[in-house]
Amino acid sequence: MREVSGTDSALSIGSRAPARGQGEARAAGSRRADAVRNRGKVLDAAERLFARDGVERVTMQAVAKEAGVGVGTLYRGFTDKAGLAIALLDERERQFQELMLSGPPPLGPGAEPAERLAAFVAGYVGLVAEQLELVLLSQTASPGARFRSGAHALWRTHCRHLLDLAGAPDPELRADALLAALSGEMIGHWLSEPDRDVAEITSAMTGLSRSLASDPATPSPGQG
Amino acid sequence: MREVSGTDSALSIGSRAPARGQGEARAAGSRRADAVRNRGKVLDAAERLFARDGVERVTMQAVAKEAGVGVGTLYRGFTDKAGLAIALLDERERQFQELMLSGPPPLGPGAEPAERLAAFVAGYVGLVAEQLELVLLSQTASPGARFRSGAHALWRTHCRHLLDLAGAPDPELRADALLAALSGEMIGHWLSEPDRDVAEITSAMTGLSRSLASDPATPSPGQG
DNA sequence: TCATGAAGCGGAACCTATTCCGTTTTCGTG
DNA sequence: CACGAAAACGGAATAGGTTCCGCTTCATGA
């Protein structure tokens, strides 16, 4: 199954690249051939089952069976169920990270810090909303899971940096607070309420990010 | 065990009152005597074990055994493990709720909305930090658990109301965002970092709450 | 007081994530 | 190519939360 691309489900993200990052064992260099093969089979199987049955109703047993490996292999390649989700999210997150680090403004360098932050928030909300189930799995598998993902460290650093440039007080804590407000749990909750959609959330949260970024010593820039 | 007070552990909160609220069955009126008795035994046992072994290492089996009841009884009286935590937290939360609804300013009525909000944040941070383990259990038992507790609805309404009075945009979403930033997970994470204590968190978060409360159309009040 | 239906009880059974460990596969070396 | 150590495998076993259901206890009212 899956050779080097082919037609894929809506969740698909193309052929499995060498990969690195969270919830995975050693560096790509010293991986045994069978391990690499199995890793791909597992990700394919998980993607397929998650898309078909919904993340929550897919058991690790089922993933193992679909992939044709033992459960032990799942846990060797990925730390736990959350690790599976993190690996599946990895691709999209990296695309976004690239845009945010070196793409065009306002997301990328060149715009005012507060505007870059707002652009980050808008993009991040979209990312989370689009992959909500996987994000939820990756963030709520265990208390504090959110903070342990490699991607999170990057979001956090980026926000902290922009808040710092904008002159906001307590940039570290505010970065954390902002990301907490954008957790899968929070966004999922908002989306579950009637009359609430991604656009409204995005608009409110970008506004909030501007409030967070404002240095209280500076008179707020006129806006109405 | 426990008759009508007596000497208790640090976690203790006095004799078990009639009680109502989240994770509990019917209204107090129509409860059978044995159910009421068992409810008390279970709360006592849980309190004792949680204090002794740490919330996470106490199993439902163990609570049942310590209380001298079957596990089924645990689940009849409380929805799940989180329900147990919610019930144990109930007392303190109600005290705080009372102060916030009708106590002296700035927490209670009488102060400016933004100041009341800051006071709320300060008190809430203390509440969470003080009972961190229980709060974590109650909030992270399942995704979205946070939003389902009765107490949460009240915090949320209060914050929304104050933000509204202060003229902040999107008061509902901002109230949620603020509470997300004060989740057990977030505060626990902050406290786990070196050189970070409740005072610093409180100061940063009250500041953040003031930023959230400020109406962007109004020039920010001078501050330094 | 006794009968009776409802409320509550207990704990075995179930479902899953996760761990453990004996067996198998790789792959660098002689 | 043959060996041996290291890496990876597989799946049975473990552990803990939650559900189920037949049995017991309560409380009502005749």
Side-chain angles (χ1 to χ4, degrees), chain A residues 32 34-35 38 69-73 76:
Chain A
R32 249 171 58 170
D34 51 352
N38 279 335
V69 304
V71 272
T73 301
R76 164 163 293 271

Side-chain angles (χ1 to χ4, degrees), chain A residues 10-85:
Chain A
L11 257 179
S12 171
I13 51 179
S15 66
R16 301 296 172 209
R20 56 87 235 247
Q22 262 296 315
E24 296 161 35
R26 60 197 50 261
S30 55
R31 279 238 199 69
R32 249 171 58 170
D34 51 352
V36 173
R37 204 182 320 127
N38 279 335
R39 181 190 168 72
K41 288 199 287 184
V42 167
L43 287 175
D44 283 348
E47 191 173 77
R48 200 157 42 229
L49 292 186
F50 285 168
R52 199 189 68 195
D53 300 337
V55 168
E56 212 166 317
R57 280 190 299 164
V58 175
T59 70
M60 293 300 262
Q61 291 283 346
V63 174
K65 190 175 169 193
E66 173 86 7
V69 304
V71 272
T73 301
L74 254 58
Y75 284 92
R76 164 163 293 271
F78 309 89
T79 312
D80 52 16
K81 205 177 176 186
L84 215 42

